[in-house]
Amino acid sequence: MTSGPGQTAAAIAARRQQTTDKLTRVEKAISQLRRERGRLAVRAIAERADVSPTFLYENPDARALVQQAVTDSKSRHDRRTGDKHEQIEASWRERALNAEAELTRTQNEVLSQRQRIGELMGQLRDVDEMVPGESVQKLTTENTTLKRRIQQVTQEHRKLQERLEGARTNLRFADKRIADLELQLLEFQQAAPAGARP
């Protein structure tokens, strides 16, 4: 059995048509995986398109389609990850700023209460020398009340100090975690081209 030029041309045309069909299936598989937010990897695309991974590596058009899809997927993932980290960092910054503002307010309150107590103590000494026992008792009661108030304000100050320290610790942890994730991402990006082949 000999094959003529017509049979060879038909075989070449059939092979080209098969390649075109495979490329169409690859494009469709990539589109489906994007819509489903599936993992865009050579093996996943090959399975979905019902082609061999070898075809995706050896055919220049298929390889270009896969590389472009993987690159697009990585940049979308990088943007989403970056946005998420910025939101977390902004949240912790806002908490730290709120805690610092509350701490400043509490410190000012403590200072004004101490000044008020000092003024009242001075008045108490002056009155103690001039007024009868009832007034002294009233001032002593007021003094006790003010001392309790200053203890409460001091406790609030301590709690706010602890919250501020916690917020700062969380912010440092978030910064470290972001740095670790960025390093992992960079290492992954550098390793991806070399490790693209199974």
Side-chain angles (χ1 to χ4, degrees):
M1 224 186 224
T2 60
S3 62
Q7 287 178 329
T8 304
I12 291 172
R15 182 153 173 89
R16 283 186 183 149
Q17 184 59 45
Q18 279 182 335
T19 302
T20 303
D21 291 344
K22 286 181 180 180
L23 287 172
T24 303
R25 289 198 315 260
V26 167
E27 287 175 346
K28 186 176 177 183
I30 290 171
S31 296
Q32 287 174 346
L33 286 170
R34 278 185 181 151
R35 276 194 306 276
E36 297 167 6
R37 297 186 187 273
R39 186 165 177 261
L40 286 174
V42 173
R43 228 170 255 298
I45 294 169
E47 286 176 13
R48 182 66 65 100
D50 195 25
V51 297
S52 70
T54 307
F55 172 76
L56 296 179
Y57 286 119
E58 291 179 353
N59 184 287
D61 294 333
R63 187 171 55 241
L65 284 171
V66 170
Q67 286 175 344
Q68 185 61 44
V70 170
T71 302
D72 290 347
S73 173
K74 283 181 185 175
S75 40
R76 274 197 308 275
H77 179 277
D78 293 347
R79 281 194 302 275
R80 282 196 304 266
T81 304
D83 292 345
K84 188 174 182 181
H85 289 307
E86 285 175 16
Q87 289 172 350
I88 291 170
E89 189 175 340
S91 169
W92 282 112
R93 277 205 183 105
E94 184 177 342
R95 290 180 188 179
L97 289 173
N98 289 342
E100 284 182 8
E102 191 63 27
L103 180 63
T104 302
R105 188 196 65 75
T106 305
Q107 287 172 337
N108 290 337
E109 172 98 14
V110 168
L111 182 61
S112 68
Q113 292 292 337
R114 284 184 177 159
Q115 288 173 345
R116 178 75 177 135
I117 288 172
E119 291 169 4
L120 290 173
M121 290 294 283
Q123 290 174 8
L124 183 61
R125 285 189 199 101
D126 293 342
V127 170
D128 194 20
E129 295 172 0
M130 298 184 302
V131 284
E134 272 183 34
S135 298
V136 171
Q137 182 63 34
K138 184 179 177 185
L139 289 172
T140 304
T141 305
E142 188 176 351
N143 187 32
T144 305
T145 305
L146 286 171
K147 283 182 180 177
R148 283 191 193 127
R149 178 67 183 134
I150 195 114
Q151 286 175 344
Q152 288 174 347
V153 170
T154 303
Q155 287 175 350
E156 288 175 13
H157 176 265
R158 190 178 308 119
K159 286 178 186 174
L160 286 171
Q161 195 91 29
E162 291 170 359
R163 283 175 56 194
L164 176 62
E165 189 56 37
R168 286 178 175 158
T169 301
N170 288 337
L171 185 57
R172 283 193 296 270
F173 174 78
D175 287 342
K176 184 181 182 305
R177 181 71 178 135
I178 289 168
D180 290 344
L181 289 171
E182 287 173 349
L183 179 63
Q184 288 176 4
L185 186 60
L186 184 62
E187 290 172 353
F188 178 74
Q189 287 174 342
Q190 290 174 350
R197 291 178 183 262

